[in-house]
Each structure stands twice: as C-alpha cells, then as structure tokens.
Amino acid sequence: MPTTHATESDLQEDRTQQFARYIRAAVTSAGYDIDSPRGGGKKALAKATGMSQTSVGRMLSGQTMPDPAVLERLAEVLRLPLSELLVRSGLISGKSRTAIEEVFTPRNDPQPLTPIEAAQRLGIQDPENVTFFERTVQMLLERERG
C-alpha cells in the first residue's frame, strides 16, 4: 500500500487554515463584524493591528499567516494570550511554550530570571530571536500584572 507524505507546503496550508478558523472566531468574539459586506470589521481590525486590509482578508480566509511582528499587536487587540497565537501560528511548539512558561513560573528564588537569562537557558542565541523573546515576555508579564 503506498504511503503518502505531507509536504511542508501541505502542513503549512493545514496550519494556515487552522489558524484562520481560530482567529476568525477570536475576531468575531472581540466584536468585529467580518462577515457582512458593510460591517467594516476587516477595515477596523486592519487599522487596530496595523495590518493592511488585504492582509487581514487573506489571514481570515486561511490564505496566509500573519507576519510574526504582527502577532503581538493582534494578541493585544483581540485580548488573546500571545503564547497561544505563537503556538497556533506554528512559530513555537506547545512543548516550547510549556518550557518557556516553566522558566517564568515564579519560584522562591530571590532573583527571578530575566528574559535574556531565560532565552540563554532555552538555547535561544540569535540576537533577533533573543530580542523578540524578550519583547514577548515583557508583554506577557505586563498583561499578567493587568
């Protein structure tokens, strides 16, 4: 019996479609009318996130994944955990998310880890990735503090 293997583009398409279903529900739940032609929800979401209307439409239809730089703003606007968007977009795995959360779980240590120390412990070395990680952690910590 022949075995079929999913290509990377097939996996990306599946992930993109899954992300679109997730984000459509989140966008609708946040009060954006994205289904009626004159609802203005796509335009309002584009303005709130800094995305183009075309990018919003393509993301919501499952044609493309948003740029990683947009995910932080998208999480803020939709009041979603950034870690959830990172996992659902495929930028990090659920396992990595768990590892990150474990690193930042408060302990009885007198000095908690800084985001840069955590990145080093996790093996994140590329300076751009360290900066992205640090910004993501800072945003998550701010959201936790309210």
Side-chain angles (χ1 to χ4, degrees):
M1 190 172 277
T3 306
T4 57
H5 296 283
T7 65
E8 189 170 329
S9 64
D10 291 338
L11 294 174
Q12 179 63 34
E13 184 176 328
D14 289 344
R15 186 175 13 169
T16 304
Q17 292 294 321
Q18 291 170 6
F19 185 81
R21 284 190 295 277
Y22 168 76
I23 206 69
R24 283 184 68 80
V27 166
T28 302
S29 178
Y32 291 91
D33 182 3
I34 56 172
D35 292 318
S36 66
R38 297 185 188 239
K42 290 177 186 175
K43 183 177 182 178
L45 183 62
K47 184 176 181 180
T49 60
M51 296 172 72
S52 70
Q53 278 186 255
T54 302
S55 294
V56 167
R58 291 174 57 84
M59 172 187 69
L60 294 173
S61 67
Q63 295 174 346
T64 61
M65 192 69 73
D67 187 270
V70 174
L71 290 176
E72 185 175 343
R73 186 68 185 136
L74 195 58
E76 288 173 6
V77 167
L78 300 176
R79 296 185 178 163
L80 297 170
L82 179 58
S83 60
E84 183 68 14
L85 287 183
L86 292 171
V87 170
R88 288 184 180 266
S89 69
L91 286 174
I92 65 172
S93 68
K95 185 177 179 182
S96 293
R97 173 184 171 178
T98 301
I100 291 167
E101 289 169 350
E102 286 175 5
V103 168
F104 289 100
T105 299
R107 294 189 174 86
N108 293 330
D109 296 341
Q111 291 289 327
L113 287 175
T114 67
I116 292 174
E117 291 169 332
Q120 290 170 342
R121 283 193 185 181
L122 290 167
I124 301 169
Q125 298 176 356
D126 181 274
E128 287 183 11
N129 290 342
V130 171
T131 300
F132 179 76
F133 180 83
E134 183 178 22
R135 284 187 15 205
T136 302
V137 168
Q138 288 171 346
M139 190 199 85
L140 290 170
L141 290 172
E142 288 171 13
R143 289 183 73 156
E144 288 294 320
R145 293 178 190 129

